[in-house]
Amino acid sequence: MSGAGGLAWRALHALLRALLCLQRALLACLRGRAAAAAATSCALLAPAARALGFREARAAWRRRGPARGAAARGRQRWRADGRALRKLPVHVGLVVTEEEPSYADMASLVVWCMAVGISYVSVYDHNGIFKRNNARLMDEILKQQQELLGLDCSKYSVEFANHDKTGQVLNCQSALKVLSPEDGKADIVKAAQNFCQLVAQQQRTHSDLDVNMLDNLLSSTNGFPDPDLVLKFGPVDSTLGFLPWHIRLTEIISLPSHLNISYEDFFSALHHYAACEQRWGK
């Protein structure tokens, strides 16, 4: 019995080892087939994936394309509009009489002035908000300038009338000043004081005071010509202290508000200015 039992046990053990070997072989075979199937799937799907990626990239490019095309068309339109006007103001004052000025809308107006070819722009509000927060205004102008004008510019310098802030260089052929009520009236007072000193020193007489003399004494525009056109925004029928001497011969056009103003409203005002006959006080 013991000999027969040992023989049976060895036979059973051999059978179990054979079954284990067969199991390993089957697993190896299944793994190989799975790898081959995966490789085949990748080979089959790779072109589709590349095509899908290409389509997505092309769709993204197409989405950006219209925006670039619209910006280019806008630049061409603005340049053409500026050339089409019978006369274009050299210096435009943008005067806000509303209580809550909008940086984005004012930046749009400044960039449009740049785009049509206006050389000098003055920004003014009677509370001096733009001047106190000029960095915020400059950031908005830079942002819109890049979006609307792109690289279609050369040099654009920003100055401040009271000389207490450093100039900033932007990118377009226009010069901008940000003004407040302290610019203008205070300069007239200072000019009067300087003239009185000249009279007291017997370098001038009271009869020397005329328009040309006062122009020479005034310094608020610092090389800017007098404004040809002032666009006044808001319900107040006054420029509220904007360069009172320099706008004596300026054409003033009133618009209801600068908030959400459109380019069409802006260009309509320029067209109105181009059509008006200026008599220079005569």
Side-chain angles (χ1 to χ4, degrees):
M1 292 292 294
S2 61
L7 182 62
W9 175 255
R10 285 194 295 272
L12 180 60
H13 183 69
L15 179 60
L16 289 174
R17 277 198 309 181
L19 289 173
L20 287 173
C21 290
L22 180 60
Q23 183 184 30
R24 293 192 188 100
L26 288 173
L27 288 174
C29 181
L30 289 174
R31 290 194 188 100
R33 289 183 178 179
T40 303
S41 299
C42 289
L44 292 173
L45 294 176
R50 286 195 295 270
L52 179 60
F54 174 75
R55 286 197 297 270
E56 290 179 349
R58 184 170 59 184
W61 183 86
R62 285 176 175 174
R63 286 194 296 270
R64 292 193 297 270
R68 290 197 298 268
R73 289 192 297 272
R75 291 194 294 271
Q76 293 172 358
R77 174 192 176 185
W78 297 328
R79 288 195 297 269
D81 285 345
R83 290 192 295 265
L85 292 172
R86 188 168 62 87
K87 61 178 178 179
L88 188 69
V90 176
H91 180 185
V92 170
L94 304 174
V95 178
V96 175
T97 64
E98 297 162 279
E99 292 300 322
E100 296 184 6
S102 165
Y103 295 90
D105 291 314
M106 181 53 66
S108 295
L109 287 162
V110 171
V111 172
W112 292 335
C113 287
M114 295 159 50
V116 299
I118 294 169
S119 300
Y120 301 92
V121 182
S122 295
V123 172
Y124 176 92
D125 70 281
H126 65 288
N127 291 319
I129 296 174
F130 284 134
K131 189 170 185 179
R132 289 196 302 273
N133 300 280
N134 58 78
R136 180 177 173 184
L137 178 61
M138 294 304 109
D139 288 343
E140 188 63 39
I141 292 173
L142 281 167
K143 174 185 173 183
Q144 294 200 31
Q145 177 206 7
Q146 184 63 34
E147 291 176 354
L148 301 179
L149 300 183
L151 301 177
D152 189 34
C153 303
S154 56
K155 188 176 181 180
Y156 180 56
S157 62
V158 176
E159 305 170 60
F160 297 91
N162 61 352
H163 303 290
D164 62 357
K165 295 179 176 65
T166 304
Q168 181 177 353
V169 175
L170 305 179
N171 274 334
C172 235
Q173 285 182 339
S174 296
L176 170 70
K177 287 188 184 296
V178 183
L179 304 172
S180 67
E182 65 190 45
D183 306 303
K185 290 182 179 180
D187 282 338
I188 293 176
V189 173
K190 184 178 179 181
Q193 293 173 340
N194 291 339
F195 182 76
C196 290
Q197 289 179 356
L198 293 174
V199 172
Q201 296 167 2
Q202 297 184 346
Q203 298 180 30
R204 296 288 181 182
T205 66
H206 66 277
S207 60
D208 291 332
L209 184 61
D210 57 14
V211 171
N212 292 329
M213 171 65 70
L214 187 55
D215 277 337
N216 292 331
L217 290 170
L218 287 170
S219 60
S220 63
T221 54
N222 296 316
F224 271 38
D226 290 349
D228 306 291
L229 170 65
V230 164
L231 299 181
K232 182 190 70 66
F233 304 96
V236 181
D237 292 329
S238 170
T239 55
L240 298 180
F242 172 73
L243 298 179
W245 172 261
H246 303 85
I247 61 172
R248 62 194 186 281
L249 300 176
T250 299
E251 185 73 19
I252 300 175
I253 296 177
S254 295
L255 296 169
S257 175
H258 74 301
L259 302 176
N260 301 315
I261 189 169
S262 67
Y263 173 77
E264 286 70 23
D265 292 333
F266 166 76
F267 184 71
S268 177
L270 293 184
H271 191 272
H272 177 80
Y273 166 80
C276 74
E277 180 183 356
Q278 292 176 288
R279 299 181 179 275
W280 310 110
K282 298 179 182 179

